Amino acid sequence: MKIAFLLLVIVHGLIHLLGFIKAVDWVQIKDFPIEVSKGSGYLWLTAALFFLIFALSYFLEWKYSWYIGLAAVLVSQVLIIMYWKEAKFGSVPNLIILILTLIAWMNTRFDAKVEKELGLLFASQTNEKAMPHASMDALPAAVQLWLKNSGASAQTGPQKVRVDQAFQLKLKPEQNDWYRGKAVQYFNPVRPGFLWYLDLNILEWVNIRARDLYLDGKGEMLIKLWSLIPMVNEKNNPKIDEGTLQRFLGEMVWFPWMAKSPYITWESVGENKAEAYIQFQGVEASGTFTFDQEGKFRQFQTERFMGGDENAKRYPWIIIAQDHAIHQGIELPTLCEASWILDDGPWKWAIIEILSVDYEGG
């Protein structure tokens, strides 16, 4: 899609350049149907330069490229109106460029929103009083083995976590093919919170941006088509608050030292299982962790609201680890599957591959 769009912009820009060349009479252009005066020729040159500069800045993914795109379309459309009889069909590429430029603008706004929320996620750390972490001896044996063998037992842990993910997603149980995208997730292990950001193409020309946020005990879910049309916008909802806290609890497997956090208490429920309880800002959640004989994390399960409307029901929500690898000295699950167990059977809705993990501030 990007290459096709760039070719459209470049060709459209070169056509405007022909108008300038004809105006200054550098060469004879017999097939150019418009008689262009020297005065308006410089408008044709301006439009051409705007389109070509826009193509370059769009290719380089400069976040303000949409300014140039809008200027190019504006100048071009003025020319088309001036020479409407001969140039009216130039409005079609202008419309296409305008739509995709507006989408680029909305992407910029979406990214700016995420950046602002990311600052808030870690700014709250400075207001958090230091609290003692649990000793290893206070944890169930299965959790102790997990922390020891993962390499996280001696850590209180870095203050920031970034996890880059390759994401496969199904938006509904009956969907056959997987949508593919990339996500980045930031965690605050000091003061429980996370921000997850997904860029997903569901068709060649159809893009979805999603952002999930857990901040100061409140959860939010936002999904937009082309960063423009809201598909999901859930916030100020106790069910979403609880669900995002449950997700934070399960995803601490990417920063295992969180198991010793003062916000989490544990109870052994079997040889290789332990129940974790987390409480933060008046919201409580729990889930069961399952490990193998070597202490590797294998599964997390909780009862989670599916959605946030008044009819939303709790269903089992399960994360299963399929593979592990070492990142920055800690063994982590690097291939996970997430499923809902619905009334009519399981729905595996996500496959998450961990591309990289970065810890900061330890």
Side-chain angles (χ1 to χ4, degrees):
M1 183 183 81
K2 184 175 181 179
I3 298 300
F5 178 61
L6 285 172
L7 288 175
L8 172 66
V9 174
I10 291 170
V11 170
H12 199 46
L14 292 176
I15 290 172
H16 286 77
L17 187 60
L18 290 177
F20 170 72
I21 293 173
K22 186 163 186 177
V24 297
D25 201 24
W26 282 352
V27 294
Q28 293 295 321
I29 306 176
K30 296 181 180 179
D31 295 330
F32 195 79
I34 304 173
E35 292 299 325
V36 183
S37 67
K38 286 189 177 181
S40 63
Y42 289 100
L43 276 179
W44 288 85
L45 177 61
T46 300
L49 291 176
F50 273 144
F51 278 121
L52 296 175
I53 295 171
F54 173 55
L56 178 62
S57 61
Y58 188 86
F59 176 75
L60 296 175
E61 298 183 348
W62 185 48
K63 65 180 180 179
Y64 297 117
S65 65
W66 61 270
Y67 281 113
I68 305 172
L70 289 178
V73 169
L74 177 61
V75 176
S76 174
Q77 198 60 36
V78 168
L79 288 168
I80 288 171
I81 293 171
M82 291 171 59
Y83 299 91
W84 182 254
K85 184 178 179 180
E86 300 88 354
K88 56 181 177 292
F89 292 110
S91 297
V92 175
N94 272 350
L95 179 60
I96 295 172
I97 294 169
L98 176 62
I99 291 172
L100 293 182
T101 300
L102 289 175
I103 290 173
W105 174 45
M106 296 306 298
N107 285 342
T108 299
R109 292 188 62 189
F110 196 98
D111 292 344
K113 174 181 174 63
V114 170
E115 283 295 321
K116 181 179 179 181
E117 291 170 339
L118 184 59
L120 294 174
L121 178 67
F122 294 110
S124 62
Q125 285 182 341
T126 59
N127 300 322
E128 194 70 9
K129 295 180 180 179
M131 299 175 67
H133 285 65
S135 67
M136 285 286 288
D137 294 340
L139 303 176
V143 178
Q144 291 186 42
L145 183 61
W146 170 45
L147 294 180
K148 179 180 178 182
N149 289 356
S150 69
S153 59
Q155 293 192 17
T156 56
Q159 297 177 356
K160 298 180 182 180
V161 178
R162 171 176 169 151
V163 182
D164 288 272
Q165 308 162 349
F167 222 84
Q168 298 183 59
L169 188 67
K170 290 185 177 180
L171 298 178
K172 49 189 176 181
E174 61 270 22
Q175 181 178 325
N176 292 321
D177 297 329
W178 291 93
Y179 298 139
R180 298 174 184 271
K182 289 189 175 181
V184 59
Q185 189 164 7
Y186 295 88
F187 295 93
N188 185 337
V190 178
R191 181 179 173 86
F194 71 81
L195 185 149
W196 176 81
Y197 174 46
L198 173 70
D199 190 343
L200 181 76
N201 288 324
I202 61 175
L203 291 172
E204 181 65 23
W205 294 87
V206 181
N207 176 262
I208 284 177
R209 296 283 184 99
R211 189 275 288 133
D212 289 349
L213 178 69
Y214 184 68
L215 178 65
D216 292 333
K218 299 294 182 181
E220 295 184 14
M221 299 173 64
L222 178 64
I223 302 175
K224 284 190 173 184
L225 185 64
W226 296 303
S227 297
L228 179 65
I229 304 170
M231 299 172 64
V232 175
N233 189 8
E234 289 279 4
K235 58 183 177 180
N236 300 321
N237 186 324
K239 294 179 181 179
I240 300 299
D241 296 344
E242 180 185 298
T244 47
L245 184 59
Q246 288 169 314
R247 177 176 170 179
F248 177 86
L249 181 65
E251 291 175 344
M252 74 175 178
V253 294
W254 294 319
F255 45 107
W257 63 85
M258 187 72 196
K260 298 186 291 181
S261 168
Y263 297 107
I264 298 175
T265 57
W266 291 89
E267 179 183 343
S268 179
V269 292
E271 182 181 358
N272 298 315
K273 291 186 177 182
E275 186 83 7
Y277 303 87
I278 186 168
Q279 184 175 18
F280 183 65
Q281 297 288 84
V283 180
E284 298 180 358
S286 64
T288 302
F289 288 79
T290 301
F291 309 92
D292 62 18
Q293 295 293 332
E294 297 176 349
K296 290 184 178 181
F297 165 76
R298 289 301 177 188
Q299 179 177 296
F300 172 79
Q301 180 169 342
T302 187
E303 297 287 322
R304 185 177 177 185
F305 283 110
M306 190 175 183
D309 59 55
E310 61 181 11
N311 297 318
K313 295 170 55 179
R314 293 181 188 271
Y315 291 97
W317 187 73
I318 300 174
I319 300 173
I320 296 175
Q322 300 288 4
D323 200 5
H324 293 74
I326 295 176
H327 285 270
Q328 292 194 221
I330 298 180
E331 187 177 60
L332 309 169
T334 52
L335 183 63
C336 297
E337 298 176 352
S339 301
W340 292 95
I341 308 300
L342 305 178
D343 295 335
D344 53 356
W347 167 32
K348 183 165 68 175
W349 66 276
I351 300 174
I352 307 114
E353 180 186 357
I354 304 305
L355 303 176
S356 66
V357 180
D358 292 314
Y359 303 131
E360 181 183 338

